[in-house]
Amino acid sequence: MGRHCPAGSIVVSRYLAWLGVNCRVFNVGEYRRKLVGAKLDHSFFDPHNAAAVDQRLQCAVSALQDMLRWFEAVHSGVAIYDATNSTRSRRKKILDECTRHGVEVMFCESWCDDSELVEANIREVKRTSPDYAGVQDLASVMEDFRRRINHYSEVYEPVGGDGTRPLAKGSYPLPPASPTIEEYDERLVSYVRKINVGSQMVINRITSYLESRIVYFVMNIHIAPRSVLFSRHGESMYNLDQRLGGDP
């Protein structure tokens, strides 16, 4: 779900690069801005807007195809497919296509329903998102993004859930999901859910070393600024003797 720390995928990719892992981020939002444009209001993300749904799907498919071509070229590494992927049907498509190409999948969801954290996230979006570049009216940006979140909430199905839509408030029904989705059991899929910036973590079927390192890092990501203090002890007797270790 899209209520997550801005640039979280970039932070994870930098951590993986630090570990020596070949990593690349495929951000579907960047594909959308390239293929459709950046100056789009919340109505583009309305799940009842059939034309926009098709356009967003094309952007998602384009990013996925590029990701799979990247895997074919490098043969190993970690690709971060950065998108909301807020429905089971979308995640099933990703899983099916990756499995067909021999790519292992782990879903990472960051969910937040803390109103203060969500508002802080929206303000950060205003500052950093290319979607609102040049817009000076903070109130209009925040209102537009709140409506975008509401559109996602209409179809949101939690990772590992049974397909229910706990936040749907629409006055008219959405198109039915594909019948084959009933065969898709996300309890059998590797995933991690970070809820309210780490107040709760749900970890499911994490089996490999690299998956566990990613989960550990995700558990320790902080979105709020904080101070880091370093302290150096005073001179010791061993320092004077140019010796290492010990207490004197």
Side-chain angles (χ1 to χ4, degrees), residues 3 110-115 117-118 194-200:
R3 302 185 184 186
S110 182
W111 168 253
C112 181
D113 60 2
D114 184 303
S115 59
L117 292 174
V118 171
K194 186 170 186 173
I195 302 171
N196 286 332
V197 201
S199 63
Q200 182 181 358

Side-chain angles (χ1 to χ4, degrees), residues 7-243:
S9 59
I10 300 298
V11 174
V12 174
S13 69
R14 289 173 179 170
Y15 171 69
L16 292 172
W18 179 74
L19 290 178
V21 177
N22 190 11
C23 181
R24 181 172 171 182
V25 176
F26 295 83
N27 184 285
V28 174
E30 293 182 359
Y31 281 77
R32 168 180 52 81
R33 285 184 282 271
K34 179 179 178 181
L35 299 175
V36 185
K39 304 301 182 180
L40 302 168
D41 67 14
H42 67 90
S43 63
F44 183 78
F45 302 92
D46 187 338
H48 307 289
N49 184 340
V53 168
D54 288 341
Q55 288 179 308
R56 288 190 285 122
L57 178 59
Q58 291 172 12
C59 296
V61 169
S62 180
L64 184 61
Q65 290 174 342
D66 281 352
M67 184 189 77
L68 295 172
R69 280 192 287 266
W70 179 79
F71 272 118
E72 291 176 358
V74 301
H75 305 296
S76 66
V78 173
I80 300 177
Y81 184 72
D82 188 2
T84 53
N85 300 323
S86 51
T87 65
R88 292 172 73 235
S89 60
R90 176 62 62 85
R91 295 192 293 270
K92 183 178 185 299
K93 290 178 181 178
I94 295 169
L95 181 65
D96 289 348
E97 194 66 15
C98 288
T99 300
R100 191 167 68 87
H101 286 79
V103 176
E104 297 180 5
V105 175
M106 180 179 74
F107 291 114
C108 297
E109 178 184 49
S110 182
W111 168 253
C112 181
D113 60 2
D114 184 303
S115 59
E116 292 185 2
L117 292 174
V118 171
E119 289 297 300
N121 188 19
I122 295 174
R123 286 191 292 272
E124 180 69 8
V125 165
K126 163 62 179 74
R127 189 179 68 83
T128 61
S129 174
D131 288 347
Y132 299 104
V135 180
Q136 300 300 320
D137 185 357
L138 176 61
S140 66
V141 169
M142 295 187 70
E143 179 60 24
D144 184 79
F145 201 76
R146 287 190 195 100
R147 292 187 179 186
R148 186 190 297 195
I149 291 174
N150 289 338
H151 291 320
Y152 281 124
S153 297
E154 285 289 306
V155 297
Y156 169 63
E157 297 165 351
V159 173
D162 59 3
T164 57
R165 294 171 175 169
L167 304 176
K169 300 176 183 178
S171 57
Y172 46 97
L174 293 165
S178 167
T180 59
I181 197 66
E182 299 302 326
E183 304 170 4
Y184 175 54
D185 187 351
E186 259 183 349
R187 294 173 299 179
L188 305 179
V189 178
S190 297
Y191 68 81
V192 56
R193 295 188 73 219
K194 186 170 186 173
I195 302 171
N196 286 332
V197 201
S199 63
Q200 182 181 358
M201 298 291 300
V202 180
I203 301 170
N204 188 70
R205 298 181 72 89
I206 301 300
T207 58
S208 72
Y209 165 77
L210 193 53
E211 286 177 337
S212 66
R213 293 300 298 262
I214 293 172
V215 168
Y216 174 77
F217 184 74
V218 169
M219 290 174 65
N220 288 280
I221 290 177
H222 303 290
I223 66 170
R226 58 183 57 211
S227 299
V228 178
L229 304 178
F230 295 90
S231 175
R232 190 180 189 281
H233 62 76
E235 190 174 49
S236 68
M237 297 297 293
Y238 273 19
N239 290 148
L240 295 175
D241 292 339
Q242 296 184 345
R243 297 168 63 186

